[in-house]
Amino acid sequence: MNREEAAKRIPELREQIKDHNNRYYISNEPLISDYDYDLLVKELEKLESLFPEFARESSPTRLVGSDITPGFTQVRHPYPMLSLGNTYNEEEVRDFDTRVKKILDNDPEYACELKYDGVSISLTYRNGRLVSGVTRGDGTKGDDVTANIRTIRSIPQYIEGDDIPAEFTIRGEIYIAIEDFARMNLEREEAGFEKYANPRNTAAGSLKLLDPDEVAKRPLECFLYSMLGASLPFRTHSQNLEIAKKWGFRVPDEIELVSSVDGVLGFISSWDKKRKSLPYEIDGAVIKVNRLDDQSRLGMTAKSPRWAIAYKYKAERAGTILSSVSFQVGRTGAVTPVANLVPVLLAGTTVKRASLHNADQMELLDLHLGDEVFVEKGGEIIPKIVGVNREARKEGSLKVIFIENCPECGSVLQREETEANHYCPNSNHCPPQIKGKIEHFISRKAMDIDGLGEETIDLLYRNGLVENVADLYKLSFEDIIKLERMGEKSAENILRGIDASRDRNFHELLFGLGIRYVGETVAKTLAKYFENIDKLIDATYEELTGIHEIGTRIAESLLSYFSQPENLTIIKRLKEAGLKMHTEQVQGEGSDILRGKVIVVSGKFSRHSRDEYKEMIEINGGKNSSSISASTSFILAGENMGPSKLKKATDLGIDILSEEDFLKLFDQSSN
């Protein structure tokens, strides 16, 4: 590239990188993969090196990407919070080792760690007490998110132990576990919200919520992996982390000390194979010189420390051709565009489709039919399109445009200003919405009707036997047995499951109605507050928004739902069918005996169901968790508790309570 070409390309690269920084750090909606982003940065670095006359102090090659957000106070870091230099290959790791040895003139010890895919945080403790939590920001100053940090259970408010400095800073990564992320998305889908894109973006967005009460509802966790201060207990990074663990910090176990670059590469290779078995996402490994005096000698550049490097694992990616785009209608009426692809092998499976999320994402990608697209599987189960080869685009190819009418019933689609999705408003007469509502109604967390599934619901609908959830309770043996591939035993199982659903709780019925934005948690809140369906139907906007967890959007959705005669008729028919329309008292209701406790429920029980125990925990101040961690208070264990959970609990020294021991807690609290 000559000087004239560089003069044109360098500003283009800076603008592109600036835009991608904004999407990654501020909007939490990255459009390209980390690998592609790093390629842009490396290209800019190379051009600035070849043509130094175009170098600028404001270049993104010399600055840390900033996550500073309006609404927060900015705080200066006591120590610069720099980003790490990235590499994707063995040769650059060996080059890093060579540079380190040349400056130190010895063979250093390296601390090898996992690179967690989350949000960086810097915590400062004074006299053993947490005084601030600050985001990376621009590396010099960051957003003060202390109030939000205090809601994360794995971050201690106070620490105790030997040799605690009067003041020190400890840094780490805030993340959301894979299982918790899946549960969050399931709840959002059930409530009619668009699903979150991935755990990293969700953790970043959660940390920047302005209401700490809302942050407390998010399953945020934190690993701590670096300590800084004027009088640290030890002279090595690894020893300081070991004592931090004793003080009560959640320090990762997967840290390995090695004395050679081959040991470093062995660690990287080993975790590349094992990373899919982890309960949280990692996107690489971090290599640090272990001795603090060696770190000081190596120093830093304007952007990165010279004593550390990040090796990033490449996301599974493949190139293929976009054949067409179809549009799916969900049970809430949300319309999702789906890319239909020429089949391609990716991460061991053949991929034919990829989610495009919404109209805005389609517009950002600027898709045309026949485009060569790049598909990636990161933390998401569903592949996504992360890029388009515009240079290979055929002349005259048609741009993909978001539809205006529902592909199922023809209704004109609607989109609210605050929504990312388009919706079909024909909720009671659009076939996929009708079937989707019934499928939701019979699901495990709602009415839990055994014997029915997606195919059977479709069969019942196509034969004119069900058009809404109330129709399930008028089905007869004769209706079901005449359906294709339906035997006597299957028909009896379906009727038995429908009959058993009459005993489900009021909040499960309320959740099962599929009212938009009314997920499992909101349904429990409403059922507890209003006690019966009639009080809820008669509730005013002021009454609804006066409840702590009920915002304007949920209140408006409830008022809209109960204003429709068709919905009131369905509720009347469900009442007549004998379903519970009121809240029943649960043992120990209203106490705070479990306040502040994080409890994992595992195994099979005889006195109550798992869902009943989870409800009991919540209404008595506790928090349910699906995974065991250092923040778990105890495990409520029934029969056949998983051996892996049992081992982890034993290793962490977590108490295990039997069903009887758990129920005794309530007996003791009432004495």
Side-chain angles (χ1 to χ4, degrees):
M1 183 177 289
N2 59 37
R3 189 178 185 281
E4 290 71 25
E5 290 170 332
K8 183 181 178 182
R9 179 60 176 159
I10 286 173
E12 287 176 355
L13 283 169
R14 286 175 182 159
E15 281 304 309
Q16 285 183 51
I17 294 168
K18 182 180 176 182
D19 178 58
H20 288 306
N21 278 341
N22 186 66
R23 293 184 188 281
Y24 185 86
Y25 290 106
I26 305 299
S27 307
N28 294 311
E29 293 178 346
L31 191 57
I32 62 173
S33 68
D34 288 357
Y35 179 70
D36 287 330
Y37 172 83
D38 288 336
L39 287 180
L40 291 175
V41 173
K42 284 182 183 296
E43 182 184 354
L44 181 56
E45 286 174 343
K46 183 177 180 181
L47 288 176
E48 288 178 343
S49 173
L50 290 172
F51 303 95
E53 64 269 31
F54 298 129
R56 300 287 183 273
E57 286 300 319
S58 59
S59 171
T61 60
R62 302 190 182 194
L63 298 174
V64 175
S66 176
D67 66 3
I68 288 174
T69 307
F72 290 93
T73 303
Q74 278 70 56
V75 175
R76 185 166 291 275
H77 291 298
Y79 305 93
M81 198 170 181
L82 305 179
S83 59
L84 295 176
N86 293 327
T87 179
Y88 292 86
N89 61 65
E90 177 182 326
E91 183 182 351
E92 290 182 355
V93 175
R94 292 189 181 278
D95 288 344
F96 165 75
D97 176 61
T98 300
R99 289 195 301 272
V100 167
K101 287 178 179 177
K102 185 176 180 180
I103 295 172
L104 296 180
D105 197 24
N106 63 39
D107 291 333
E109 181 177 52
Y110 292 113
C112 302
E113 305 170 7
L114 301 182
K115 186 176 183 299
Y116 306 97
D117 197 9
V119 187
S120 298
I121 193 71
S122 182
L123 309 173
T124 297
Y125 285 77
R126 193 172 295 133
N127 298 320
R129 185 172 68 89
L130 174 67
V131 293
S132 74
V134 183
T135 66
R136 184 192 300 278
D138 61 7
T140 302
K141 60 184 182 301
D143 291 334
D144 184 347
V145 291
T146 310
N148 290 347
I149 287 297
R150 294 190 189 281
T151 70
I152 301 175
R153 295 177 188 271
S154 52
I155 295 178
Q157 306 296 307
Y158 302 92
I159 57 170
E160 294 180 349
D162 299 327
D163 301 321
I164 296 177
E167 183 172 331
F168 69 95
T169 294
I170 189 165
R171 290 174 176 169
E173 200 88 354
I174 291 172
Y175 70 94
I176 294 176
I178 295 168
E179 190 175 324
D180 288 332
F181 178 72
R183 179 173 48 76
M184 287 177 74
N185 262 347
L186 180 61
E187 289 172 358
R188 283 184 68 82
E189 188 176 31
E190 289 170 340
F193 290 99
E194 184 181 9
K195 291 197 289 188
Y196 292 121
N198 57 56
R200 186 266 161 202
N201 293 354
T202 309
S206 299
L207 190 62
K208 292 298 186 75
L209 292 172
L210 296 175
D211 183 358
D213 287 340
E214 287 300 313
V215 180
K217 296 174 188 174
R218 306 293 176 91
L220 298 176
E221 295 288 356
C222 184
F223 276 132
L224 284 310
Y225 49 62
S226 176
M227 197 190 305
L228 302 100
S231 53
L232 298 181
F234 296 102
R235 295 181 180 179
T236 68
H237 163 72
S238 59
Q239 285 176 303
N240 285 324
L241 287 186
E242 279 300 317
I243 199 166
K245 188 183 292 187
K246 292 176 182 176
W247 294 341
F249 289 110
R250 191 159 178 257
V251 174
D253 294 324
E254 299 83 7
I255 299 175
E256 188 176 323
L257 296 178
V258 300
S259 56
S260 69
V261 70
D262 289 332
V264 167
L265 293 169
F267 179 89
I268 290 170
S269 175
S270 171
W271 279 105
D272 192 12
K273 297 183 182 76
K274 295 188 292 185
R275 60 187 167 122
K276 291 180 182 177
S277 64
L278 291 167
Y280 41 79
E281 289 191 353
I282 65 168
D283 58 357
V286 176
I287 313 306
K288 301 173 183 175
V289 172
N290 194 32
R291 288 186 59 87
L292 300 187
D293 55 354
D294 284 347
Q295 291 183 8
S296 297
R297 287 174 62 197
L298 288 161
M300 306 178 183
T301 67
K303 187 178 178 181
S304 307
R306 291 191 179 93
W307 45 263
I309 192 169
Y311 181 98
K312 284 195 170 184
Y313 299 127
K314 288 185 184 177
E316 295 279 2
R317 158 187 285 211
T320 186
I321 302 299
L322 175 68
S323 302
S324 63
V325 173
S326 53
F327 295 84
Q328 295 180 340
V329 183
R331 69 164 181 85
T332 63
V335 179
T336 305
V338 177
N340 299 306
L341 310 167
V342 172
V344 62
L345 191 64
L346 177 64
T349 58
T350 300
V351 172
K352 299 178 182 177
R353 289 147 62 86
S355 174
L356 293 170
H357 300 295
N358 52 53
D360 292 341
Q361 185 68 12
M362 279 177 53
E363 188 62 32
L364 284 170
L365 288 166
D366 184 32
L367 289 171
H368 287 57
L369 294 179
D371 272 351
E372 181 186 2
V373 295
F374 303 109
V375 188
E376 196 171 279
K377 248 186 180 180
E380 304 81 11
I381 295 172
I382 300 171
K384 63 179 179 180
I385 292 176
V386 295
V388 180
N389 184 0
R390 290 183 175 84
E391 293 179 2
R393 179 173 291 161
K394 295 178 181 176
E395 190 175 343
S397 62
L398 294 175
K399 182 173 180 174
V400 179
I401 305 295
F402 202 91
I403 55 175
E404 296 181 357
N405 297 82
C406 175
E408 299 287 343
C409 69
S411 301
V412 177
L413 299 180
Q414 298 177 355
R415 181 183 182 181
E416 296 176 19
E417 285 185 14
T418 56
E419 294 278 358
N421 281 351
H422 286 74
Y423 288 86
C424 168
N426 189 19
S427 59
N428 288 320
H429 301 285
C430 182
Q433 292 190 65
I434 293 170
K435 290 187 284 185
K437 284 179 179 178
I438 298 172
E439 289 163 15
H440 173 71
F441 184 81
I442 68 171
S443 64
R444 188 178 64 82
K445 290 185 178 180
M447 303 313 287
D448 195 21
I449 300 179
D450 285 335
L452 283 175
E454 187 178 331
E455 290 184 7
T456 310
I457 293 298
D458 181 61
L459 204 55
L460 291 167
Y461 176 77
R462 285 192 286 106
N463 282 272
L465 294 173
V466 293
E467 290 187 358
N468 57 59
V469 296
D471 288 340
L472 292 171
Y473 294 91
K474 70 173 189 179
L475 288 172
S476 66
F477 181 82
E478 288 70 27
D479 289 331
I480 300 171
I481 195 69
K482 67 184 181 184
L483 297 174
E484 56 185 287
R485 302 189 307 277
M486 192 64 67
E488 289 185 13
K489 189 173 181 181
S490 297
E492 288 169 356
N493 286 340
I494 290 170
L495 292 173
R496 194 178 298 114
I498 292 171
D499 187 52
S501 71
R502 290 179 169 88
D503 293 327
R504 296 290 279 177
N505 294 316
F506 174 41
H507 70 82
E508 291 163 328
L509 167 67
L510 192 54
F511 171 59
L513 291 175
I515 304 169
R516 195 173 170 201
Y517 308 136
V518 178
E520 188 183 3
T521 304
V522 171
K524 287 178 181 178
T525 300
L526 293 170
K528 184 178 180 181
Y529 188 90
F530 290 103
E531 296 181 349
N532 64 60
I533 194 71
D534 296 319
K535 288 182 181 178
L536 179 56
I537 290 171
D538 294 337
T540 64
Y541 178 83
E542 289 72 24
E543 283 180 291
L544 289 166
T545 53
I547 303 169
H548 175 59
E549 293 185 3
I550 309 302
T552 355
R553 191 156 47 172
I554 298 172
E556 289 171 353
S557 178
L558 285 161
L559 292 170
S560 171
Y561 181 87
F562 291 126
S563 70
Q564 297 175 41
E566 284 179 274
N567 293 333
L568 294 178
T569 300
I570 289 171
I571 290 170
K572 181 175 179 290
R573 290 178 59 200
L574 292 173
K575 263 188 187 179
E576 292 168 351
L579 276 71
K580 288 181 183 176
M581 297 283 177
H582 63 278
T583 299
E584 295 180 335
Q585 294 297 310
V586 180
Q587 182 173 355
E589 184 167 0
S591 78
D592 61 355
I593 188 172
L594 301 177
R595 187 164 304 283
K597 304 286 188 186
V598 180
I599 302 161
V600 174
V601 181
S602 181
K604 295 182 179 179
F605 303 93
S606 57
R607 300 276 295 276
H608 296 278
S609 69
R610 287 179 65 166
D611 287 341
E612 286 172 335
Y613 276 123
K614 287 182 178 181
E615 181 185 2
M616 202 181 296
I617 288 165
E618 287 181 4
I619 62 178
N620 287 284
K623 178 185 175 183
N624 286 295
S625 176
S626 56
S627 56
I628 297 170
S629 69
S631 62
T632 303
S633 304
F634 65 84
I635 297 168
L636 169 55
E639 294 180 13
N640 301 324
M641 176 181 170
S644 59
K645 281 189 175 180
L646 181 60
K647 183 181 185 303
K648 188 166 185 179
T650 306
D651 291 344
L652 292 172
I654 295 168
D655 291 335
I656 299 175
L657 271 63
S658 67
E659 193 170 9
E660 290 71 25
D661 291 336
F662 179 73
L663 293 173
K664 281 177 185 175
L665 294 176
F666 299 98
D667 296 335
Q668 292 164 5
S669 69
S670 61
N671 292 337

